Amino acid sequence: MTFRLSPYSRPWAALFALGVLLLPQTAQAQKYRTAAGLRLGKNNYGLTVQQKILDKTTLEGLALVGSREVSATVLAERHFGILGPSLNYYFGAGGHLGTHKDNGGFGGLDALAGVEYKVAFTPIVLSLDFKPTVEFNSEDWARFPTAFSVRYIFIKEKNTGLFDGLFGDGKSKKKEKTKTKSNSRPGLFDF
């Protein structure tokens, strides 16, 4: 099976493909290590805690309360920066256990896709996500909730300047400049 693009859409498709390939590599994800806050959905609300465990990987725990149920969820998430570390999109998966007032215990598997924004000059992270679930031992076999979260950053990521990750680390540039200046003669416009 082959896909054919019209001559007018080829440049746009190439530009889009190039952007998709370069974007995750140039941007650095997530400006914090530990954050906690509130999660608000249509049918439930609760607490959310995130802990960064690897460079772009986070574990998130959710404790949620609905009108007739209580549940706990653990998710592993992979974060990708969009034009710098303040705006991220993320994907993840995990599982949950809970109890329903009428039906008793239940469990399930979760997927997650979302977007988060670290508000400039504040320790606040805002996120919006979509978390479809498959339920076991429940009347609902699948759910498709969305939720909004507000988190407070307890532990920041070190060395997160305004342009870090977008233009590289300033320390390595300083070392390169000192090496080149000491090994070469100054030019006409070197001050």
Side-chain angles (χ1 to χ4, degrees):
M1 175 183 227
T2 60
F3 295 100
R4 297 181 193 265
L5 296 174
S6 74
Y8 300 109
S9 64
R10 286 184 187 148
W12 293 108
L15 201 68
F16 177 74
L18 181 65
V20 168
L21 289 174
L22 293 179
L23 191 60
Q25 295 170 357
T26 59
Q28 184 178 6
Q30 219 173 346
K31 290 181 86 166
Y32 59 92
R33 290 204 161 279
T34 306
L38 298 174
R39 179 179 173 88
L40 306 169
K42 181 181 176 184
N43 296 324
N44 58 28
Y45 61 92
L47 300 176
T48 171
V49 177
Q50 285 187 331
Q51 176 63 49
K52 187 174 181 179
I53 57 171
L54 295 172
D55 186 33
K56 293 183 178 183
T57 305
T58 302
L59 280 181
E60 181 175 8
L62 303 173
L64 302 174
V65 176
S67 61
R68 304 197 56 82
E69 68 184 38
V70 175
S71 66
T73 305
V74 175
L75 300 160
E77 302 168 359
R78 182 85 171 159
H79 291 250
F80 302 94
I82 303 173
L83 299 176
S86 292
L87 184 61
N88 297 312
Y89 67 95
Y90 54 92
F91 299 102
H96 65 275
L97 294 173
T99 182
H100 193 278
K101 209 171 203 177
D102 300 328
N103 304 330
F106 66 91
L109 301 175
D110 300 84
L112 182 73
V115 129
E116 76 175 6
Y117 174 69
K118 195 295 190 177
V119 179
F121 308 112
T122 67
I124 303 295
V125 177
L126 306 174
S127 69
L128 180 66
D129 62 53
F130 172 63
K131 188 174 78 67
T133 63
V134 176
E135 301 287 326
F136 304 115
N137 197 28
S138 176
E139 289 181 359
D140 297 331
W141 65 274
R143 297 181 190 183
F144 303 95
T146 58
F148 177 75
S149 297
V150 177
R151 293 183 199 93
Y152 180 83
I153 297 172
F154 289 102
I155 301 175
K156 294 189 294 187
E157 185 70 27
K158 293 180 182 177
N159 298 328
T160 55
L162 183 60
F163 296 111
D164 283 356
L166 195 57
F167 298 111
D169 186 14
K171 291 180 183 177
S172 61
K173 288 183 183 179
K174 288 179 186 175
K175 288 180 183 178
E176 287 178 18
K177 282 186 179 181
T178 56
K179 285 183 181 179
T180 57
K181 283 185 179 180
S182 64
N183 292 340
S184 64
R185 289 180 26 195
L188 183 61
F189 296 104
D190 290 339
F191 297 104

